[in-house]
Structure formats: structure tokens, C-alpha cells
Amino acid sequence: MTKLRLIATEEAFATPRQVEAFRRAADTLWHDPDLDMWRSFLSIPRRIAQLVDLEEERLADMDANGVDMHLLSLTAPGVQLFSAAEATAIAADANDILAETVRRHPTRFAGLATFAPQDPARAAQEIERAINTLGLHGLVINSHTDSEYLDAPKFRPIFEAAASCGAALYIHPRNLPLEAAKFLKAEINLWGAIWGFQMETGLHAMRLIVSGLFDEFPGLKIVLGHMGEGLPYWLYRIDYMYRAFTRGQGKLKRRPSDYVRDNFLVTTSGMNDHATLDFCHRVLGPDNVMFAIDYPYQGSKEAVEFIRSSTLPPADLAKIAHGNAERVFRIKPAV
Ligand code: MN
């Protein structure tokens, strides 16, 4: 089989300063679903080591599995639990580390810049620094911040900066705000990746769509992991109900599904399922799906075997495996 160039687009890392900030927060009585998730990470030294490592076990894992590149992003919930000042400082440090890592291994790593939405004006400055000065490849946000979503007008400077830099924004999951997350305690805990992440991130995407954001920023690109957090499956009903709920008088210039097709891309992170890949390929088209692993939370071997065994047309598979990521994140194609 010919080698399929693989750029994995949702690959997590942590910085020492971020880990220290979570350690301090974990020692308090503060109750938050993401902090509880971090309390469990912090109890597993190997998990923390895998996240902080950028060049040893990670590169060996990539080599062993034939993964050409990781598009790195600071692991969830990024800096979004911390005070504005601390979050801004940890984000800038993480972006510096990322840029240095990319500089050392330009053919193996690309990076999504982190910013602190707690201070939208400062976040806009950091976005411009990270993209225009550091040369990072896009942006990442971990869904809500203090129960607020990016459709709120106060966050407009973030989209203005993203649009002026031409940077795509990856909306990575985090847990629902505490007041909503409490309803996910069932026979087992449905927080996190089993169900809560997709509820939270799909909601965030829907909020952006109905806010009219994409009429204001028609070139903006949003990336969703996990084959689109349910959105591609739901398009018919979203359009039908948007029309019904607004009596055909909604303020959007186009159908909600038109924005999903034109302004969103989805990745295969953590969803090694051919039926779902074929469905997303059919609904969104071959230009709007990208390969991802979700390292180190899910295994590289399984994700690579999955994408290599796809029966999609080879030209489309090449786009999904690397071509779309090169275009959207301005990653240099292989020579
Ligand atoms: Mn992830």
C-alpha cells in the first residue's frame, strides 16, 4: 500500500505552567467538572508525562504508526478555568513553547494558538501575535468560558482578530457548565467524552450559527472534532425547525445547514467509524473532513488503521488525510 501522508489535527499537549496551575486549583475545594477531570489526570503521572512530552515518546509514537505530523493544541480546558491575568500568561507561554517546537521540527509539528477569552481585547492581541509573529497555524478554544459562549457580543474582538489573520478556530470540547453538567450524573457519569462533550460543543456551534456570526464573517472557518459533534446528522431538522421557530422570518441570510457546509470542517478525532466518516464525506463533501487521532487520549494505531482502511475514493482520502489540513491551517505540503 502506498504511504498515505497523515496530518493529525486534534493532538493534545500540556505545558508545565498549565499543569502547575491545575495542581494548585485541584488542591482547593473548587468543584467544576473539568477540574474534577484534571484531578483524575493528576493522579496518573504517566498521563501528565505524555501530555507534557513533545519530542520523545510522542515522536516515537508518530514514527511507529506512520503519522507525519501532529497539529498540537493545549489540552482542555486550556486556560479557561483560570483568572484572566493567569490565563493570559499561561496562554502566551504555551504559544511560545509551541512555536519553538514547530521551529525545531517544522515537518513534524504545527500548532493551534491558545488565548484567554476572559479578557477579549488581550485575547485578540495574543491571536495576532501567535499567528502573525509566531507563525502558528490556527486557534483553539475549549467551548464555554465561565458558562459564556463566543456568540456573546463581548467576544467579537476574538472573531475580528481571527478573521483579520485568516485563522481557523478549532472548538474543542470541555464539560458543560456545572449547573447543566449535574443532569449528566446517571447510572454512570455521562460527563466528558461519552456524551457531555458533544452536547456542549454542538451547542456552542449552534449558538454561533443562529447568532448570525457567519453573515458577519463569511470567510470564518470553524473546526469541530468527533465528526462534527452531531451537527452533520442533524442538518435537515435544524433547517426545518429554524424555519418553523422563526416563522420564516429568521435573521439569517441562509439556511443553518449552509453555514455548516461552508464555514465548518469536522475531524475524525476519537471516532474511528467508517459509517460516520462516509456519512460526513457525503454530507459535508471531501473538502471539509480532516484526519485526527486525539493523542494521547486515544490510540494512534487504531486511528491510522481506520483511515488507511477507508474505501473512499483515493483523491478524497488524500484530502482528508492531509490536503484539507494543509489548506485550512496553512501547513506546508510535503515536497
Ligand atoms: Mn481532544
Side-chain angles (χ1 to χ4, degrees):
M1 193 192 295
T2 56
K3 169 83 174 71
L4 183 62
R5 172 166 157 83
L6 292 176
I7 300 178
T9 55
E10 192 199 297
E11 314 316 317
F13 80 108
T15 64
R17 281 184 71 172
Q18 183 201 25
V19 172
E20 275 322 299
F22 278 118
R23 256 189 235 289
R24 281 195 306 275
D27 275 345
T28 67
L29 294 176
W30 183 14
H31 180 45
D32 171 275
D34 283 320
L35 188 54
D36 288 350
M37 182 179 78
W38 262 87
R39 285 185 174 105
S40 78
F41 291 173
L42 289 165
S43 71
I44 313 167
R46 165 145 175 79
R47 171 63 80 215
I48 298 299
Q50 279 181 317
L51 283 165
V52 173
D53 162 63
L54 285 165
E55 301 186 325
E56 292 177 20
E57 185 181 343
R58 184 181 302 260
L59 277 171
D61 179 274
M62 291 163 68
D63 289 341
N65 292 289
V67 176
D68 293 276
M69 291 185 82
H70 273 190
L71 176 68
L72 297 164
S73 46
L74 192 68
T75 199
V79 299
Q80 291 163 246
L81 286 188
F82 309 126
S83 71
E86 186 177 30
T88 298
I90 296 171
D93 174 67
N95 293 336
D96 288 340
I97 289 172
L98 201 44
E100 175 58 20
T101 304
V102 172
R103 197 190 59 72
R104 279 205 297 275
H105 304 277
T107 63
R108 307 309 304 278
F109 295 121
L112 298 179
T114 297
F115 55 90
Q118 296 93 323
D119 183 343
R122 189 65 190 78
Q125 287 172 10
E126 182 60 17
I127 288 168
E128 278 160 20
R129 185 186 79 95
I131 303 297
N132 296 337
T133 306
L134 297 180
L136 293 178
H137 300 83
L139 309 168
V140 61
I141 186 80
N142 299 282
S143 204
H144 77 87
T145 306
D146 296 331
S147 311
E148 289 188 299
Y149 295 81
L150 293 180
D151 58 306
K154 71 184 216 182
F155 295 120
R156 274 305 191 269
I158 290 168
F159 290 113
E160 284 161 7
S164 89
C165 297
L169 173 64
Y170 203 122
I171 307 183
H172 186 277
R174 62 172 291 192
N175 279 295
L176 292 142
L178 181 61
E179 57 269 37
K182 67 183 183 191
F183 300 112
L184 275 75
K185 293 266 190 185
E187 177 69 26
I188 69 161
N189 191 346
L190 298 175
W191 289 358
I194 188 171
W195 194 250
F197 278 179
Q198 150 269 85
M199 286 178 70
E200 163 65 20
T201 318
L203 169 66
H204 202 149
M206 283 301 297
R207 293 186 66 114
L208 295 185
I209 291 168
V210 301
S211 77
L213 181 72
F214 302 106
D215 289 329
E216 200 177 329
F217 299 101
L220 187 65
K221 295 290 187 189
I222 302 290
V223 182
L224 298 174
H226 319 102
M227 300 280 195
E229 313 290 5
L231 256 72
Y233 184 85
W234 216 244
L235 295 184
Y236 173 88
R237 195 161 167 85
I238 293 169
D239 284 347
Y240 184 97
M241 292 301 169
Y242 184 78
R243 226 172 25 247
F245 286 14
T246 61
R247 300 173 190 270
Q249 304 293 313
K251 69 175 190 173
L252 297 182
K253 291 184 181 157
R254 308 167 68 198
R255 295 176 304 177
S257 65
D258 292 326
Y259 304 103
V260 176
R261 289 192 174 87
D262 286 356
N263 296 98
F264 284 78
L265 293 97
V266 306
T267 80
T268 65
S269 58
M271 283 282 273
N272 302 315
D273 182 82
H274 287 298
T276 314
L277 175 60
D278 293 356
F279 177 78
C280 285
H281 170 267
R282 176 172 170 184
V283 169
L284 303 176
D287 296 323
N288 294 317
V289 183
M290 296 184 280
F291 174 65
I293 299 167
D294 208 5
Y295 180 91
Y297 301 109
Q298 288 188 234
S300 306
K301 184 169 185 284
E302 192 186 350
V304 169
E305 282 171 1
F306 159 68
I307 200 70
R308 282 194 179 142
S309 61
S310 170
T311 56
L312 288 172
D316 290 358
L317 195 56
K319 288 179 174 185
I320 292 166
H322 61 88
N324 295 333
E326 290 163 353
R327 183 186 79 246
V328 171
F329 298 116
R330 293 179 291 203
I331 294 169
K332 207 167 129 214
V335 280

